Amino acid sequence: MKYLEGLNEAQKQAVLATDGPVSVLAGAGSGKTRVLTTRIYHLIRQGVPADHILAVTFTNKAAREMRGRVRKMLDLGASDKVQGERNSHDLPLTPYNSNLPFIATFHGLGRELLESYGSAIGISRFFSIYDRADSEKTVADALKVLDVSSKEFSPRAIMGRISHAKGEGVMVSEFYEKNAHTSFGNRITAEVWRSYEKTLKAEKALDFDDLISIPVRLLEEHKDIREQAQNRWKYIHIDEYQDTNRLQEQLAGILSEKHKNLFVVGDGDQAIYGWRGAKMENILDFEKRYPEAQTIILEQNYRSTKNLVEAANGVIEKNKNRKEKYSTTERGEGEPIVVHLAINAEDEARWIALKIRELSQRGVPFEKVAILFRTNFQSRALEEGLLRAGVPYKLLGTRFFARKEIKDMLAWMRLALEPSREVDMLRAVASPARGIGKVLLGKIAEGDRSKLRAGELAKIEAFEKIVKELSLATETHAPSEFVKLVVEKSGMRRALLDEGSEEDRERFENVEELATVAARYDDTPGKVGISTFLAESALASDQDELDQGEKTGVTLMTVHAAKGLEFNTVFVSGMEQGLFPHEGFGEKNRDEEEERRLFYVAMTRAEERLFLTLARIRKIYGSDFITEPSSFLADINSAVMVYDETDESIIN
């Protein structure tokens, strides 16, 4: 079979293992997508109708790539068809094409199940889907109805609790019954969830979590529908199985229950989403649930050089909760890993930018270079370093000055300088929310406060008092100190840090970084320094917006966002204890091995070169801190590392 040529023995074994449950442990760069698509093509060549095949992955990008590869293989094989094979030529490349396998994300699969069978439980075929912003707004509205301040309970945090419960298969009625008479926080969450579900039902809408939880319940409770779905898809493929949560694993199990043909691909060493409910045990314990399962290990790395593969092996083998797997490569030794110790974040960014320019002159395109960081706040210094060096770049995710929490802070600062700015007032009054909307502000604009209810008047006066205090502070405070004052007075610290979710805490780190940026203007305290800082921030934001349309350049992103991607050259910045590994590494309730897996993911994005950088002094919240090198550096074999302008003894 010509399409098997070029596959190694383990890959061929996986492609040809068509019957029963199969678990493929695929190391980084081991060609798992090729295995998946070739196996799907092999099934069709063996006479399995394409529309009996299902493949599920986690991102739309991955699903599109997989569909494209299968389509290409079918087109190339169209002139050599066997019985049961279908020509896909000129067919639309969508997950709903019955002449192609159904290839989609988990949410795409859930939507298809509900559109096909949801009428049995009263779900309209044309339901709408709430995104996170819609969900959080609805939760905020429910809090208002309950007369609960968003300062006390963050809508984002409550939505996070609801989402986590849905991901565990908990229904609102179960949650309410269990929590309605417990702590105040649990009671509020239960009441808000009930209100939230009523709103969804009234608007014939579902949220992202419903797209998984409701199909699972539908299949469990309706035998006829379950049998229809099982007979529709007789061969089930699940990509990135280590990232599935309990309900997603349950959905895969239900669909494959009749024919037993469940093919899962994953790598426990790349399980980095435990904080959002992913269960790495789904891949590690696959044989316990399916004792008859075959297990195939893909260990040959086609992506990275020998030095990089050896270094990554040295890091990940320190973890105990993993399946034994040792990556190898037939590629050359390659360049050593370069470690650079900078003076501070700005010096680190400057060095990275100059090194990228040097590589560009040696023929490495900017598009094949990535700079990875552990937390979002690091991007600010890196962006500025690239701008100064004239290196084009694109930031995956929202740019620093375009992030919501940063825009909120800047609105508060501008309002303090000019309290009559309506746009800034509208933004500030809602950040964090304090029960003052456009209608109430409209009443204020009319000038007659006698029409206000006592509660409305109290909210307005409390907000105006904060603005007045901040306005007085602009006369004397240095810009960085003023940022800190705004954080406290506005209630942002409490909303993001004290009561927020994991994501909110990362947003607070971005707010802290704003104070660091503002410290550059501390030589000119008072209104002049603050207004200069705001003007410079506006210019940076405009420049970012212009750069948004630029499709070429170095890629900046968090390590979490980089999973599944690969680059010729990778820089991992901020290799400092407390930053990477992040603060909390080693604490009792924290999965410290996940942090090491995250570093393993960062290392294995590189094909040819890997640079690890750290700063001796890191400014956090406007203050300088002397750092310690990351403990991960000691996990790397010193024989594959060199120290660029760095005293090796400092790191070791």
Side-chain angles (χ1 to χ4, degrees), residues 5 23 34 108 112-113 118 140 180 253 274 284 296 339 347 351 402 412 415 432 438 486 552 566 578 590 593 633 647:
E5 294 177 2
S23 169
R34 183 180 182 186
E112 172 66 13
L113 287 167
L284 297 184
I296 301 165
V339 179
D347 183 47
W351 186 88
W412 270 102
L415 186 64
K438 290 184 179 180
V486 171
T552 60
E566 56 188 51
R590 187 181 180 95
E593 293 197 349
L633 293 172
D647 181 357

Side-chain angles (χ1 to χ4, degrees), residues 13 26 76 142 167 220 229 235 246 273 288 348 381 392 416 418 425 453 455 505 526 529 533 539 572 630:
Q13 185 184 353
L76 290 174
E220 284 184 328
Y235 292 86
R246 192 180 75 80
Y273 296 116
K288 292 181 181 178
E348 177 189 41
E418 181 47 73
M425 182 182 294
R453 297 193 297 270
R505 284 190 283 276
F533 163 65
L539 289 174
V572 184
S630 170

Side-chain angles (χ1 to χ4, degrees), residues 292-308:
E292 72 277 27
Q294 299 181 61
T295 298
I296 301 165
I297 302 178
L298 305 183
E299 294 180 300
Q300 186 169 344
N301 184 309
Y302 292 92
R303 176 186 301 157
S304 306
T305 62
K306 194 166 293 183
N307 279 341
L308 296 176

Side-chain angles (χ1 to χ4, degrees), residues 180-198:
H181 303 291
T182 57
S183 69
F184 183 58
N186 285 343
R187 295 202 307 273
I188 290 299
T189 301
E191 291 286 356
V192 167
W193 191 357
R194 288 215 304 185
S195 174
Y196 174 69
E197 292 299 326
K198 287 179 182 177

Side-chain angles (χ1 to χ4, degrees), residues 98-135:
S98 63
N99 290 75
L100 290 173
F102 188 91
I103 302 173
T105 63
F106 265 105
H107 292 111
L109 170 60
R111 181 179 179 182
E112 172 66 13
L113 287 167
L114 291 175
E115 288 181 346
S116 298
Y117 313 114
S119 59
I121 54 174
I123 293 179
S124 167
R125 180 172 177 81
F126 303 104
F127 58 84
S128 60
I129 300 173
Y130 268 30
D131 62 19
R132 291 297 180 194
D134 295 328
S135 295

Side-chain angles (χ1 to χ4, degrees), residues 168-182:
E168 290 294 314
V170 178
M171 296 179 63
V172 60
S173 56
E174 297 170 334
F175 189 90
Y176 188 85
E177 185 176 340
K178 182 179 179 180
N179 294 286
H181 303 291
T182 57

Side-chain angles (χ1 to χ4, degrees), residues 495-512:
L496 294 180
L497 192 61
D498 298 343
E499 299 171 358
S501 63
E502 184 73 25
E503 291 180 359
D504 285 329
R505 284 190 283 276
E506 187 162 324
R507 289 183 173 88
F508 186 76
E509 290 179 340
N510 292 333
V511 171
E512 289 182 316

Side-chain angles (χ1 to χ4, degrees), residues 223-419:
K223 182 180 178 181
D224 58 331
I225 294 175
R226 182 167 67 250
E227 289 181 347
Q228 286 182 61
Q230 289 170 345
N231 287 327
R232 177 178 176 182
W233 295 308
K234 298 178 181 178
Y235 292 86
I236 315 293
H237 303 74
I238 309 292
D239 190 18
E240 303 287 8
Y241 201 63
Q242 78 281 351
D243 293 336
T244 53
N245 62 22
R246 192 180 75 80
L247 273 185
Q248 290 163 340
E249 189 263 354
Q250 193 175 345
L251 179 58
I254 292 171
L255 290 174
S256 61
E257 186 177 18
K258 181 176 182 179
H259 299 285
K260 309 296 184 186
N261 298 320
L262 177 61
F263 184 89
V264 305
V265 182
D267 182 9
D269 291 336
Q270 297 186 67
I272 59 174
Y273 296 116
W275 53 275
R276 68 180 189 194
K279 304 290 185 186
M280 182 178 64
E281 294 74 20
N282 291 344
I283 189 76
L284 297 184
D285 299 337
F286 188 79
E287 294 90 342
K288 292 181 181 178
R289 176 164 182 177
Y290 304 96
E292 72 277 27
Q294 299 181 61
T295 298
I296 301 165
I297 302 178
L298 305 183
E299 294 180 300
Q300 186 169 344
N301 184 309
Y302 292 92
R303 176 186 301 157
S304 306
T305 62
K306 194 166 293 183
N307 279 341
L308 296 176
V309 170
E310 182 179 339
N313 281 335
V315 168
I316 201 60
E317 67 184 9
K318 297 291 171 57
N319 278 359
K320 305 299 181 186
N321 187 25
R322 65 187 294 262
K323 288 270 183 92
E324 192 61 35
K325 174 169 54 65
Y326 191 85
S327 293
T328 61
T329 183
E330 294 181 0
R331 295 196 61 197
E333 188 174 278
E335 298 182 19
I337 295 171
V338 176
V339 179
H340 176 75
L341 175 63
I343 299 170
N344 52 35
E346 287 68 31
D347 183 47
E348 177 189 41
R350 179 193 62 79
W351 186 88
I352 290 174
L354 292 177
K355 184 62 67 175
I356 290 172
R357 282 182 57 182
E358 177 188 317
L359 289 169
S360 175
Q361 292 167 0
R362 288 164 50 188
V364 180
F366 290 130
E367 296 72 38
K368 294 187 178 295
V369 178
I371 305 174
L372 308 184
F373 40 86
R374 177 61 181 84
T375 57
N376 277 313
F377 83 84
Q378 294 171 254
S379 70
R380 191 272 311 167
L382 293 168
E383 286 184 79
E384 291 188 355
L386 294 173
L387 284 169
R388 287 197 182 99
V391 175
Y393 70 92
K394 50 189 174 183
L395 179 69
L396 262 65
T398 310
R399 297 177 180 279
F400 182 79
F401 285 106
R403 293 183 176 118
K404 180 184 181 302
E405 60 274 17
I406 299 303
K407 285 187 172 183
D408 293 342
M409 283 293 300
L410 296 177
W412 270 102
M413 296 177 73
R414 286 192 296 266
L415 186 64
L417 284 174
E418 181 47 73

